[in-house]
Amino acid sequence: MKLKHTKIKTLDQLIKAGYKSKSIKDELRDNLRERIKNGEETFAGVWGYENSVIPELERAILSRHNINLLGLRGQAKTRLARLMVNLLDEWIPVVEGSEINDDPLRPMSRYAMELIREKGDDTPISWIHREERFYEKLATPDVTVADLIGDVDPIKAANLKLSYADDRVIHFGMIPRANRCVFVINELPDLQARIQVSLFNILEEGDIQIRGFKLRLPLDIQFVFTANPEDYTNRGSIVTPLKDRIGSQILTHYPDDIETARKITEQESNLDQRQTETVYVPDIAKDLLEQISFEARNSEYVDAKSGVSARTSITAFENLLSTAERRALLSGADKTMVRLSDFLGVIPAITGKIELVYEGEQEGADGVAAILIDDAVKSLFPEYFPKINKLERKDAETPYDALLHWFFQGEGFELLDDFTDEEYKRTLDGIPELNQLLKTYQPDFPVEDSYFLKELLLWGLVSHKKLSKHRFEEGYQFKDLYGSFISGL
């Protein structure tokens, strides 16, 4: 029932308007039912979960369950919890001045009950918007029972001249103050076991215990917990009785394909409009960027138990555009395009997001990031050009012979970081055999993207050990793999 909340200011007006009390779990359930029946999207902006996580989450809400979202970092667990707020009623009434959002028809705090006894039908009512009904707490080892549940407040006792035996001296913690709200505890295993134990009664029996006080407060809360499987072994665990009281545990996951990953990155990237106006990003560059995260999740150098967050691609994309933007600013150009050599600029975004195993530590973080970029190039290469087999007959002809011969006869070429777009294009256009390979295998490829594809071809030949690539202070040098040894250079 939608009430004109701006006109309802007292308990009497609320009752006459026909308001019916409803628990938060029923709110979520009823509004979700309406959305599903009307074919409306329930968790907008979350990609890749349409046939996996979201149906499970909807089933949990329909079952009125408290929920544990279990998954590696960067899998939108907290985002899903925040989006549940959109399934709440837009406005709910509370007893004005109540610390714990008392329902006017079902008051539970001493304050609310005494106010209603005193003022009756004239009890003042205020309204809370659904955006204010989300509470979030990151579980850390220093979280206390007082933070979450509450504690005796000696200042309140002194001001009100009350004994510590009086329940009015209690200062409520975050959970009672989140009554009739969605309450999220992130990284639940990091919460000390004794703190987890304090949640038992709240979840099941509806009472709280604070320094000897046992208050019957049937709190109305939708709990959502998040946890990382890595935490179960590294830092802590969810105690069994608490886990038993959580209705549904839902496993999250990373995107299954590059297309989904691209949607997430483009949606979440924090870009300046001037960047997007200045820098053109070929689709193939976006695919390559996402492929780096896919490579990292399967890399022998990266700790798979820690995961590779979606934020890796997001921050790498921001760095990629900033690299191209900086080059344009230095050269005075109004427009530029992303180059494959610009991917050197995404390395800081990668190294800050991945956890390395022992072998990775030996390579070094920057070295592993460079390997991941090369592996991503190698994975995308066969989608655009003929596959290069690991084992080939000594005299077997390949589509790349003419290009390799061009490098063998010459001294290669350099792509400098500060090349203008004209110099960059002229350098790549100056290799006839490179142009011929694109005409042969990608004749319909967009012209504006073709220069990135030319670089991909060269980097791909390097990753397959057909050419050599050398990074120096001012750019990259591409040469024949063995020519330098023959010439004695």
Side-chain angles (χ1 to χ4, degrees):
M1 176 183 292
K2 292 185 179 180
L3 303 176
K4 293 184 178 179
H5 66 277
T6 53
K7 295 184 177 179
I8 297 174
K9 302 294 185 184
T10 65
L11 179 59
D12 181 55
Q13 292 172 341
L14 186 67
I15 294 171
K16 288 179 178 177
Y19 173 75
K20 305 274 186 213
S21 293
K22 185 189 292 187
S23 74
I24 185 171
K25 288 183 169 64
D26 283 328
E27 272 185 65
L28 291 165
R29 173 182 161 79
D30 292 349
N31 292 327
L32 177 60
R33 278 174 51 88
E34 286 301 310
R35 286 206 181 190
I36 293 174
K37 283 198 295 184
N38 296 334
E40 298 175 29
E41 193 174 13
T42 49
F43 292 90
V46 178
W47 306 103
Y49 286 171
E50 294 83 359
N51 300 311
S52 55
V53 175
I54 289 177
E56 290 188 1
L57 191 53
E58 290 174 344
R59 286 192 285 270
I61 293 170
L62 291 172
S63 300
R64 303 185 185 88
H65 284 173
N66 292 312
I67 298 163
N68 182 29
L69 296 172
L70 181 63
L72 297 172
R73 55 185 174 172
Q75 291 185 349
K77 300 187 293 295
T78 305
R79 173 181 281 270
L80 286 170
R82 286 176 179 158
L83 288 173
M84 286 179 66
V85 170
N86 296 329
L87 295 174
L88 296 172
D89 291 344
E90 186 174 8
W91 295 93
I92 60 164
V94 298
V95 175
E96 192 171 278
S98 168
E99 290 182 283
I100 61 172
N101 302 325
D102 277 287
D103 183 337
L105 301 188
R106 294 178 182 172
M108 68 175 75
S109 70
R110 180 193 284 245
Y111 166 83
M113 290 187 285
E114 288 184 351
L115 186 65
I116 290 172
R117 271 199 298 271
E118 177 189 343
K119 300 200 172 182
D121 289 345
D122 294 327
T123 302
I125 302 299
S126 58
W127 294 80
I128 299 179
H129 192 262
R130 60 182 164 217
E131 293 295 334
E132 300 176 67
R133 298 174 65 192
F134 180 85
Y135 284 71
E136 183 178 2
K137 180 65 177 173
L138 176 63
T140 55
D142 62 340
V143 172
T144 65
V145 173
D147 294 332
L148 293 180
I149 312 298
D151 204 350
V152 171
D153 185 347
I155 297 175
K156 185 184 285 187
N159 288 341
L160 298 177
K161 298 180 180 178
L162 295 172
S163 159
Y164 281 5
D166 194 308
D167 62 9
R168 284 174 290 182
V169 304
I170 291 175
H171 175 79
F172 290 114
M174 287 187 70
I175 291 178
R177 290 174 184 275
N179 184 41
R180 303 173 75 195
C181 299
V182 176
F183 191 90
V184 178
I185 298 181
N186 283 314
E187 311 301 341
L188 180 61
D190 282 349
L191 207 60
Q192 293 184 51
R194 65 184 179 83
I195 312 299
Q196 293 185 37
V197 169
S198 70
L199 299 175
F200 290 176
N201 283 15
I202 296 174
L203 288 174
E204 197 73 25
E205 284 80 21
D207 60 57
I208 63 173
Q209 296 183 27
I210 301 172
R211 295 195 183 264
F213 288 108
K214 185 174 180 180
L215 297 180
R216 183 66 187 167
L217 281 181
L219 296 172
D220 181 23
I221 298 174
Q222 172 64 55
F223 280 102
V224 181
F225 305 100
T226 73
N228 188 324
E230 183 194 17
D231 296 344
Y232 282 81
T233 53
N234 280 12
R235 297 200 290 272
S237 63
I238 302 176
V239 296
T240 305
L242 177 59
K243 198 172 181 181
D244 184 54
R245 286 165 168 80
I246 300 172
S248 291
Q249 178 169 281
I250 299 171
L251 300 180
T252 57
H253 57 82
Y254 289 120
D256 295 324
D257 55 77
I258 284 180
E259 183 181 356
T260 302
R262 274 183 54 175
K263 282 184 182 178
I264 295 169
T265 299
E266 290 172 10
Q267 174 180 279
E268 299 301 318
S269 296
N270 183 21
L271 302 177
D272 188 314
Q273 184 180 350
R274 290 168 294 182
Q275 275 183 318
T276 54
E277 291 172 352
T278 301
V279 182
Y280 171 72
V281 187
D283 281 343
I284 184 175
K286 296 176 182 178
D287 289 347
L288 179 62
L289 186 86
E290 301 301 338
Q291 188 65 37
I292 293 171
S293 292
F294 280 79
E295 298 295 335
R297 288 169 192 144
N298 296 310
S299 173
E300 62 181 326
Y301 300 117
V302 178
D303 185 359
K305 296 193 299 295
S306 291
V308 178
S309 167
R311 286 181 282 272
T312 304
S313 296
I314 295 166
T315 53
F317 186 63
E318 292 165 353
N319 266 14
L320 183 63
L321 265 71
S322 296
T323 303
E325 180 189 28
R326 179 178 180 275
R327 186 183 62 250
L329 292 169
L330 288 171
S331 66
D334 294 327
K335 303 277 186 183
T336 190
M337 67 181 77
V338 163
R339 307 169 187 174
L340 207 159
S341 43
D342 289 334
F343 273 69
L344 181 70
V346 310
I347 288 178
I350 299 171
T351 56
K353 296 288 189 298
I354 58 175
E355 298 291 332
L356 303 179
V357 296
Y358 176 76
E359 292 80 4
E361 297 288 355
Q362 300 304 301
E363 290 286 340
D366 285 2
V368 170
I371 290 170
L372 294 176
I373 294 172
D374 286 340
D375 287 346
V377 169
K378 198 171 184 178
S379 295
L380 284 188
F381 186 85
E383 295 184 19
Y384 298 95
F385 299 105
K387 186 177 180 182
I388 298 176
N389 297 316
K390 282 186 177 180
L391 299 176
E392 295 176 340
R393 293 199 317 272
K394 185 177 180 181
D395 299 325
E397 292 186 2
T398 73
Y400 309 105
D401 287 348
L403 178 59
L404 297 177
H405 186 66
W406 182 90
F407 277 95
F408 183 76
Q409 285 187 315
E411 295 183 358
F413 73 99
E414 295 177 351
L415 280 179
L416 302 184
D417 294 340
D418 60 358
F419 269 177
T420 64
D421 282 2
E422 291 73 22
E423 291 171 320
Y424 169 73
K425 292 177 181 179
R426 188 166 59 248
T427 302
L428 291 173
D429 286 340
I431 308 174
E433 291 77 4
L434 185 61
N435 299 328
Q436 186 57 48
L437 279 168
L438 257 69
K439 286 180 183 177
T440 303
Y441 295 106
Q442 294 294 334
D444 300 323
F445 204 76
V447 175
E448 62 271 24
D449 295 6
S450 63
Y451 292 95
F452 192 95
L453 188 60
K454 288 179 182 180
E455 268 200 277
L456 182 79
L457 174 53
L458 294 172
W459 282 56
L461 291 173
V462 171
S463 67
H464 286 92
K465 295 181 170 55
K466 299 294 184 181
L467 293 176
S468 68
K469 171 170 60 70
H470 172 65
R471 173 70 195 177
F472 60 100
E473 191 171 333
E474 297 174 348
Y476 284 99
Q477 181 186 53
F478 292 87
K479 296 180 69 173
D480 173 68
L481 188 62
Y482 304 110
S484 59
F485 296 105
I486 294 172
S487 63
L489 295 177

